[in-house]
Amino acid sequence: MIIGLSHFLVVSAILFGLGLLTVATRRNAVAILMGVELILNAAALNFVAFSHYVEGAVTGMVFALFIIVLAAAEAAIALAIVLAIFRHFHSIDANDVSTLKD
Amino acid sequence: MSAFNPGAFFFYLLAGVTVISAAGVALARNILYSAFALLGTLAGVAGLYLFLGADFLGVAQLLIYIGGILVLILFAVLLTNRIGEVRISNVSSGLIVGAPPAVAVMALCVRVALRTPWPLTEAVPAPTTARLGEAFLQELLLPFEFVSLVLLMALVGAMVIARRAAKEKGVR
């Protein structure tokens, strides 16, 4: 049995669905961030699979590298915000942090 | 399936590790377990990159995601949770409402992936690092520089946000 493009696309689709489930159902802000990381990984895996099986060059890998770098930046900013919210509200439950004004 | 196929075996091993750990991230009761399951997912995706012949990308995934982002997430988990109260640390709300849309999107993606006649080419296995470097320093130089700018802004921004919070609190 030859491993082809569709195998990778199915793995990536499952990863994306689980990430979506995490983002939709978690209430902890850090857990929501983990779901975003799952979704970004699924997208990057798609790019690399298409780059290998369809394009045959490195452009898809370049996109995946950009995704990794931007995910790092996003994680740093988001966790700084999470820490600030925790110091202010003493909770990072997304339901508790719903006031727009003191 | 007559002879043992090492390629298929390794693919299914990596895919299994990735998908099962991702399910752990989505469904684990304790957020610390979720964070450690994310380790399995990221490592599995790095293995899949290596399987696809993207050597530089697989190592970069290991270094940046597992060495950087995952440690950052673990820091945040440990700083913002009282781990003692395990039961309420990672509540999933509305699994019954949230699961059907996620499953529907997943099924749609799988259907598109299996039904579409993709224009396949025969990929030549070759080292990618040199080609990536040429791509970044020639045709993609402008996005490359923009990304460095974005990283600098993210670094400064994260420091400013975290420090302002510490100042309000009166720490230091």
Side-chain angles (χ1 to χ4, degrees), chain A residues 44 46-67, chain B residues 49 52-57 121 123-140:
Chain A
N46 254 356
F47 272 120
V48 179
F50 277 112
S51 157
H52 184 258
Y53 284 108
V54 175
E55 193 215 12
V58 295
T59 316
M61 295 176 202
V62 169
F63 270 103
L65 271 174
F66 279 135
I67 288 176
Chain B
Y49 287 162
L52 283 169
D55 46 359
F56 180 79
L57 196 56
T121 52
V124 221
T128 57
T129 314
R131 284 191 289 161
L132 275 175
E134 278 168 14
F136 271 128
L137 289 182
Q138 285 170 10
E139 49 182 334
L140 295 168

Side-chain angles (χ1 to χ4, degrees), chain A residues 13-79:
Chain A
I14 295 173
L15 217 56
F16 182 83
L18 287 169
L20 205 60
L21 186 66
T22 312
V23 172
T25 60
R26 290 298 197 199
R27 297 209 317 232
N28 188 317
V30 181
I32 293 174
L33 203 66
M34 289 183 204
V36 174
E37 301 293 342
L38 282 187
I39 291 177
L40 289 172
N41 262 288
L45 184 60
N46 254 356
F47 272 120
V48 179
F50 277 112
S51 157
H52 184 258
Y53 284 108
V54 175
E55 193 215 12
V58 295
T59 316
M61 295 176 202
V62 169
F63 270 103
L65 271 174
F66 279 135
I67 288 176
I68 290 176
V69 170
L70 292 179
E74 169 251 341
I77 292 286
L79 294 177

Side-chain angles (χ1 to χ4, degrees), chain A residues 15 38 41 45, chain B residues 13-15 17-19 21-22 35-51 57-59 61-63 65-67 70:
Chain A
L15 217 56
L38 282 187
N41 262 288
L45 184 60
Chain B
L13 189 71
L14 289 169
V17 167
T18 309
V19 168
S21 332
F36 283 118
L38 194 60
L39 169 69
T41 308
L42 299 176
V45 171
L48 289 175
Y49 287 162
L50 295 179
F51 192 94
L57 196 56
V59 176
Q61 165 101 355
L62 278 181
L63 281 177
Y65 257 112
I66 296 179
L70 193 65

